[in-house]
Amino acid sequence: MSDIIKIKEEYLNKLKEISDLKEINQLKSELFGKSGKISNEFKKIGSINPEERKTISSQLNDAKNELHNLIEKKINDLEINEINLKLKNERVDVTLPERTFNRGKIHPVSQVIDEISSIFSEIGFSVEEGPDVENEYNNFTALNTPENHPARDMHDTFYLDKNKKFLLRTHTSPVQVRTMLNGKPPFKIIAPGRTYRSDSDQTHAPMFHQVEGLHVDKNINMGHLKGCLNYFIREFFEVDKIKMRFRPSHFPFTEPSAEVDIGYELKDGKIIIGEGNKWLEILGCGMVHPNVLKNVKVNPSKYQGYAFGIGIDRLAMLKYGINDLRAFFESDYRWLSHFGFDPLDVPSSYRGLSR
Ligand code: DAH
């Protein structure tokens, strides 16, 4: 038997036994690879005497074609099998019951920040942010509160280094400084965010939230401040009329300064905003002190402005009837699922969307 016939018989037998793609590819290269058995037979053809050459080469070509076709067919079959097997095993059973899932809730503070941002954006304020870790200059000095100023003591500051150069910001007012240093007037911004003071009881937490407001332009006066706050409070508490009073106060960064109280009434243990004879303090404000403007390179003889700082947690407590501030930050899931908001709920204070 010639070598060619032997190779053919041997590999036809091997082929019958193989049912694995890897093995068949291996077998393919044993025959047709660079020094494969069939390839080697082709190389020998040149040295065969001319009488035999024709018969042998046609024998070799036949063997090559037969083996080649069989191998390709087998590879094809095996690949189809593999796909079918996958389809069968990975079939999706659409009749299975769905997986249970819990929908998260929006924290009241996040909700109130969204409401505040949306209300102020209606009258042209944009939202700015600043870092929780501030330097002493932005938090105090630039805001007209130099070293040894008594107002620094009121803030119970968390300092981060021995030299008292870095601290956790005690209010959102440093965002005023950052915004004005980074831009040119006019400015019309609010800056909501976290603030920190070493203080803790039923109405104070060491971490709390404020929103700062700043409007600087030519010819801004206290009437603008009053109008702006009146609008905000009515929108936020969703009432048409509000009782509001400005009480003289002191902040180093404003002159004159005021604290704002709103009128309320207690009905069946509930606080009703806008009615009644009781007063509740909700924010501090004033006209930006000329020294602050000078510190941030704004000319106080050309520009004036008002600023305000509101406690966000307090607003959330008032609007949504929550009476212990500490629960806000305990991450108790039961509390959150009671006081939290459905992500798909749209409160009416999102004007435009719901009205
Ligand atoms: N930063 C003040 C505080 O934390 C609040 C405040 C008062 C901010 C008056 C202002 C302002 O911008 O004008 O107590």
Side-chain angles (χ1 to χ4, degrees):
M1 214 187 336
S2 80
D3 282 353
I4 297 172
I5 306 282
K6 254 196 244 159
I7 295 172
K8 189 173 121 180
E9 300 280 291
E10 181 192 344
Y11 277 82
L12 284 178
N13 280 335
K14 278 192 179 174
L15 256 175
K16 272 186 213 145
E17 319 225 307
I18 286 181
S19 59
D20 180 272
L21 260 178
K22 235 189 185 170
E23 284 177 31
I24 200 156
N25 277 316
Q26 161 79 21
L27 191 137
K28 192 177 169 185
S29 73
E30 275 174 34
L31 286 172
F32 304 114
K34 236 183 173 181
S35 44
K37 294 195 171 163
I38 294 285
S39 316
N40 283 342
E41 291 303 316
F42 274 106
K43 284 177 204 157
K44 286 186 205 160
I45 283 190
S47 54
I48 295 172
N49 62 51
E51 298 95 73
E52 276 179 303
R53 194 182 294 161
K54 209 174 162 214
T55 351
I56 292 190
S57 55
S58 94
Q59 208 177 46
L60 182 56
N61 268 318
D62 288 348
K64 183 202 122 182
N65 288 339
E66 191 176 346
L67 284 167
H68 193 266
N69 290 343
L70 272 174
I71 287 176
E72 289 308 315
K73 185 174 179 313
K74 192 127 197 186
I75 289 180
N76 195 31
D77 289 351
L78 286 176
E79 279 175 351
I80 287 179
N81 268 353
E82 211 165 81
I83 291 173
N84 283 339
L85 203 71
K86 253 194 181 165
L87 282 175
K88 200 175 148 214
N89 291 341
E90 294 175 9
R91 200 182 48 188
V92 177
D93 183 353
V94 291
T95 65
L96 281 176
E98 70 192 271
R99 272 191 216 144
T100 55
F101 77 102
N102 291 324
R103 184 188 284 171
K105 290 272 187 150
I106 306 230
H107 194 285
V109 170
S110 308
Q111 169 78 18
V112 165
I113 289 179
D114 283 353
E115 291 176 24
I116 292 173
S117 306
S118 144
I119 293 169
F120 278 108
S121 72
E122 286 278 317
I123 52 168
F125 283 80
S126 54
V127 179
E128 288 290 336
E129 279 187 343
D132 293 9
V133 172
E134 245 318 345
N135 59 50
E136 171 282 327
Y137 181 80
N138 288 346
N139 195 84
F140 289 126
T141 309
L143 290 164
N144 199 33
T145 320
E147 230 173 293
N148 304 323
H149 192 292
R152 288 203 184 199
D153 298 337
M154 286 156 47
H155 277 208
D156 298 315
T157 312
F158 286 113
Y159 285 100
L160 300 175
D161 60 340
K162 269 202 216 117
N163 298 329
K164 297 190 169 180
K165 281 278 166 244
F166 294 98
L167 43 81
L168 292 176
R169 66 178 178 188
T170 58
H171 49 180
T172 42
S173 305
V175 186
Q176 286 188 31
V177 178
R178 287 179 173 269
T179 306
M180 290 195 281
L181 280 175
N182 281 330
K184 290 219 159 11
F187 301 103
K188 198 171 182 188
I189 59 125
I190 57 161
R194 279 192 277 268
T195 45
Y196 305 83
R197 288 180 207 177
S198 176
D199 207 353
S200 183
D201 59 37
Q202 194 176 345
T203 52
H204 295 92
M207 192 274 298
F208 57 105
H209 298 81
Q210 288 189 339
V211 58
E212 192 75 13
L214 174 75
H215 184 187
V216 171
D217 205 339
K218 291 173 178 160
N219 305 319
I220 295 285
N221 59 47
M222 265 193 114
H224 296 114
L225 169 63
K226 273 183 112 168
C228 167
L229 292 176
N230 194 287
Y231 155 82
F232 166 69
I233 293 163
R234 277 185 288 121
E235 286 293 313
F236 182 76
F237 289 107
E238 298 172 27
V239 290
D240 292 329
K241 262 193 175 165
I242 193 92
K243 267 170 60 178
M244 191 168 110
R245 75 176 179 197
F246 280 60
R247 240 181 325 102
S249 183
H250 173 78
F251 299 102
F253 30 89
T254 42
E255 183 57 40
S257 303
E259 277 168 316
V260 172
D261 301 336
I262 53 174
Y264 77 99
E265 190 173 42
L266 277 176
K267 253 189 200 161
D268 306 325
K270 273 193 169 172
I271 290 182
I272 313 288
I273 302 286
E275 302 168 21
N277 300 317
K278 296 192 167 67
W279 294 103
L280 198 70
E281 181 202 318
I282 59 155
L283 62 94
C285 63
M287 299 304 292
V288 180
H289 196 294
N291 287 349
V292 175
L293 294 176
K294 278 183 213 152
N295 289 338
V296 296
K297 315 276 181 284
V298 172
N299 183 348
S301 58
K302 269 197 186 155
Y303 289 96
Q304 305 82 43
Y306 60 81
F308 53 84
I310 312 176
I312 291 179
D313 316 290
R314 184 87 189 279
L315 285 190
M317 290 168 80
L318 282 173
K319 183 164 176 178
Y320 296 112
I322 308 169
N323 50 30
D324 190 343
L325 176 68
R326 287 167 300 190
F328 271 63
F329 310 121
E330 280 170 0
S331 301
D332 183 333
Y333 192 75
R334 290 163 304 174
W335 184 88
L336 252 181
S337 54
H338 181 75
F339 286 109
F341 290 81
D342 196 305
L344 299 176
D345 269 358
V346 182
S348 53
S349 34
Y350 281 102
R351 299 193 81 198
L353 283 178
S354 56
R355 288 193 236 169

